[in-house]
Amino acid sequence: MIPVQGVENQTIAVLGLGRSGSATAAALKAGGADVVVWDDGQEARQQAEADGMILADLTRDGGWHGVTALITSPGIPHLYPKPHPAIAEAYNRGIPVDNDIGLFFRSYATADWDRFDTMPRVICVTGSNGKSTTTALIHHILEHSGRPTQMGGNIGRGVLSLEPAQDAEVVVLELSSYQTDLARALTPDVAVLTNLSPDHLDRHAGIGGYFAAKRRLFSEGGPDRAIVGVDEIEGRYLADQLAQGPADDRVIRVSVSQKLQDFGWSVFARKGFLAEWRKGRQVASVDLRDIAGLPGAHNHQNACAAWAACRSVGLAPREIEAAFHSFAGLPHRSQTIAEINGVRWVNDSKATNTDAAEKALQAFDKIRWIAGGLGKDGGIAALVPHMGRVVKAYLIGHSARDFALEIAQTPHEISETMEAAVAAAAAEAQPGETVLLAPAAASFDQYPNFEKRGEHFVELVRKLEAGRS
């Protein structure tokens, strides 16, 4: 645990008692604060009381007695579409609102660092797609190279439940727009933007607000190194804003759609080959095509971002390349589950929007595509140009019939359920084909989250594997 600094004898309120909220309450107490907590869910409040926490109803005036700051969980709206009533009340009272990310950056550095030979570093990764894989890949490379490292944030552990820093340690954090939007302190040593596509637009009142939330990671604290995916206009704008000119190697541009040979530092992938260029010359190259844990151009983008981040903290090309080959990938993200009778089964349940599903479809050929769920605004019309890769689609969930209308020229069936889709795909798939779960939709019609959806798919594939072994 990282005790929060500068809160001794203050009364701090914590709103939301999920993973990050509970860790935040404990870290505040460890820092000497008097902590009161609130959650809208009765079950969470009862558990908090059982754990010895003090409840304060922040929906009533009496709950605010003596409170000097409010720390909120990332999933609770603080501005759009409208603030949670407790947060709105804090604004009315002039009480500062922060989150656990802000507290982490206030508290991570301590007097103990004076005895370290090498200062700890913090790498933060944000973006619309690929940030979890990029974060995990950076962490894996650091571990493989023998560097002390921890991973947390939007993946793994809450930031305040991490351990205090070690000499030469590198902490790798995945940060969502919900986290970067509110944090009052954001001072990473290395900041990464993978890419940007429309998402969470209701929470940020449109694409401009969404990009502004991501941009705060770079503008608030001024990282020593900024790694920016420049395949979208927002990334090119951000890189231009941060750099003093094309030769400024404090900004590392990353791409999978263009060569970037005219900048001070760049990393790009073309036709499966990663290249690092510095000051007009190539300094490293890696063949990514046969790395099982990084299939497709979208994972090549993740590899470029991770390469740049690890080079920024002093790792050698040979160390990074060796670690690439042992990276197994993350569950539910282009995760190869099995090969059964020459058919590859891939779980990309995390592909909850068309942008992510497009990247998954581009990673494979001869696809039997399992898609559907709770569709998002705009449907899947954007995926029609990629239907040439699809042998047949098996559509499930609430939006199955809507999806069928949008891909009418592609062979498809309305399977309704995951069980039916997997059974039909297994019966029809031929050697050399890939059965791909890439739903292009939210899971909430049939599953509580994308993880449960992916786990169900994996369970069904494992049963197939057992039955044919």
Side-chain angles (χ1 to χ4, degrees), residues 73 130 140 241:
S73 294
H140 171 77
Q241 288 278 299

PDB file of all heavy atoms in Angstrom, residues 73 130 140 241:
ATOM      1  N   SER A  73     -14.580   7.526  -7.089  1.00  0.00           N
ATOM      2  CA  SER A  73     -14.182   6.425  -7.962  1.00  0.00           C
ATOM      3  C   SER A  73     -14.382   6.826  -9.422  1.00  0.00           C
ATOM      4  O   SER A  73     -15.263   7.637  -9.740  1.00  0.00           O
ATOM      5  CB  SER A  73     -15.003   5.182  -7.634  1.00  0.00           C
ATOM      6  OG  SER A  73     -14.707   4.713  -6.332  1.00  0.00           O
ATOM      7  N   GLY A 130      -6.251  -0.772 -27.144  1.00  0.00           N
ATOM      8  CA  GLY A 130      -4.896  -1.276 -27.018  1.00  0.00           C
ATOM      9  C   GLY A 130      -4.158  -0.872 -25.765  1.00  0.00           C
ATOM     10  O   GLY A 130      -3.041  -1.340 -25.526  1.00  0.00           O
ATOM     11  N   HIS A 140       5.538  -6.726 -18.948  1.00  0.00           N
ATOM     12  CA  HIS A 140       6.164  -8.018 -19.260  1.00  0.00           C
ATOM     13  C   HIS A 140       7.618  -7.830 -19.704  1.00  0.00           C
ATOM     14  O   HIS A 140       8.510  -8.574 -19.271  1.00  0.00           O
ATOM     15  CB  HIS A 140       5.362  -8.713 -20.358  1.00  0.00           C
ATOM     16  CG  HIS A 140       6.016  -9.938 -20.908  1.00  0.00           C
ATOM     17  ND1 HIS A 140       6.017 -11.147 -20.244  1.00  0.00           N
ATOM     18  CD2 HIS A 140       6.726 -10.127 -22.068  1.00  0.00           C
ATOM     19  CE1 HIS A 140       6.686 -12.036 -20.959  1.00  0.00           C
ATOM     20  NE2 HIS A 140       7.131 -11.450 -22.060  1.00  0.00           N
ATOM     21  N   GLN A 241       1.776  19.795 -30.811  1.00  0.00           N
ATOM     22  CA  GLN A 241       1.687  20.698 -29.675  1.00  0.00           C
ATOM     23  C   GLN A 241       2.818  20.484 -28.675  1.00  0.00           C
ATOM     24  O   GLN A 241       3.296  21.438 -28.055  1.00  0.00           O
ATOM     25  CB  GLN A 241       0.347  20.499 -28.958  1.00  0.00           C
ATOM     26  CG  GLN A 241      -0.866  21.026 -29.714  1.00  0.00           C
ATOM     27  CD  GLN A 241      -1.025  22.517 -29.515  1.00  0.00           C
ATOM     28  OE1 GLN A 241      -1.207  22.990 -28.395  1.00  0.00           O
ATOM     29  NE2 GLN A 241      -0.946  23.267 -30.611  1.00  0.00           N
TER      30      GLN A 241
END
